[in-house]
Amino acid sequence: YTENFSDPSRLRIGNICDHFAAFLDDRGVTDAVLVGQSRGGFVALEIARRRPDLIRALVLTNSASIAPRYPAWQHREDFGDMLGGPENLRHDLEWLTVVHRQFSDEYIAEVTEMLSIDAAIEARRMHAAVASEYFADFEATKQALVEWLRSGAFDKPALLVWGADDPMTYLDDAMEIFGLVRAASPHARMHLISECGHSPFAEYSDEFNALVTSFVSSLP
């Protein structure tokens, strides 16, 4: 429900990261534990690279966006059975996940309504209009992030929580990412959840919350 950017050129991953960092600055936050899933995992890790002064630790969850083996614009030959659009929301969410009990009729109706408001439709149109520029910038930023990770520069505590049956990103990705973030991290942990897809926080919410709470309470 937030306002769209007035200038479509601001729809770049770097600008999105800077926008969120400005949000933290505005509130005087300097020790955030960021939890990021999917492309949000990329944003969290990129903010740790750009503004380490804001970050205490990261929790990264099922993010092909930060997996080094894929280009930013597409990490697989297709997107399986995903259809896209508000009218296909339940289908796509269920394809991405193993556990579906969280997708109540009320939840689907609320999110469908959110995706159908004029501002959301306009946001998708704006993204489509600048897609080539967006993904070119995203790829350049990703290459810089991967090189930064490979240099051993990431030195924050990190927790990876990964759904082992995600159709979009795989165990090999999780292991590769964990190998990079733990190289210089003072406190790195990884937790794999079987029979879990793209959204561990929704599929196993109690377990996910307990893991994150335990991780944060154990930070040095």
Side-chain angles (χ1 to χ4, degrees):
Y1 294 108
T2 56
E3 184 178 348
N4 289 327
F5 287 127
S6 58
D7 181 358
S9 68
R10 294 187 64 195
L11 293 171
R12 305 283 180 88
I13 198 71
N15 288 338
I16 291 169
C17 293
D18 291 342
H19 184 81
F20 187 64
F23 174 86
L24 297 178
D25 279 333
D26 186 63
R27 282 147 185 80
V29 175
T30 57
D31 60 347
V33 178
L34 296 187
V35 183
Q37 177 247 11
S38 199
R39 193 163 298 176
F42 186 96
V43 172
L45 198 52
E46 177 64 6
I47 290 177
R49 181 174 80 98
R50 292 175 180 234
R51 292 291 307 277
D53 57 302
L54 297 177
I55 303 303
R56 183 183 181 199
L58 298 182
V59 180
L60 304 173
T61 301
N62 286 74
S63 177
S65 296
I66 56 178
R69 71 182 70 194
Y70 309 126
W73 60 87
Q74 187 175 4
H75 73 273
R76 49 181 293 159
E77 293 180 359
D78 61 72
F79 286 95
D81 294 328
M82 286 195 70
L83 301 176
E87 67 278 8
N88 298 308
L89 178 65
R90 180 182 291 279
H91 173 278
D92 289 350
L93 287 175
E94 291 185 351
W95 179 77
L96 279 168
T97 57
V98 176
V99 179
H100 301 155
R101 60 178 175 267
Q102 69 275 18
F103 303 133
S104 66
D105 291 343
E106 293 78 11
Y107 174 81
I108 295 296
E110 181 180 354
V111 178
T112 299
E113 179 182 4
M114 179 185 69
L115 293 173
S116 301
I117 63 176
D118 290 344
I121 295 170
E122 175 64 10
R124 293 195 292 277
R125 186 200 65 78
M126 291 171 65
H127 271 282
V130 297
S132 59
E133 295 90 344
Y134 172 85
F135 283 110
D137 172 73
F138 196 168
E139 177 65 10
T141 305
K142 178 167 184 173
Q143 291 305 314
L145 178 65
V146 169
E147 289 306 310
W148 176 75
L149 286 173
R150 286 175 172 158
S151 74
F154 178 78
D155 60 357
K156 303 290 184 179
L159 168 67
L160 267 69
V161 182
W162 219 265
D165 300 296
D166 186 352
M168 295 287 283
T169 181
Y170 314 115
L171 287 180
D172 287 347
D173 303 329
M175 296 302 299
E176 186 172 17
I177 294 165
F178 185 66
L180 292 173
V181 301
R182 78 183 184 91
S185 171
H187 189 73
R189 300 289 186 269
M190 183 173 177
H191 189 90
L192 303 176
I193 303 178
S194 185
E195 298 183 18
C196 181
H198 196 57
S199 303
F201 57 87
E203 297 175 69
Y204 296 93
S205 55
D206 290 344
E207 181 176 357
F208 184 87
N209 291 339
L211 287 167
V212 173
T213 300
S214 176
F215 171 71
V216 173
S217 65
S218 67
L219 290 176

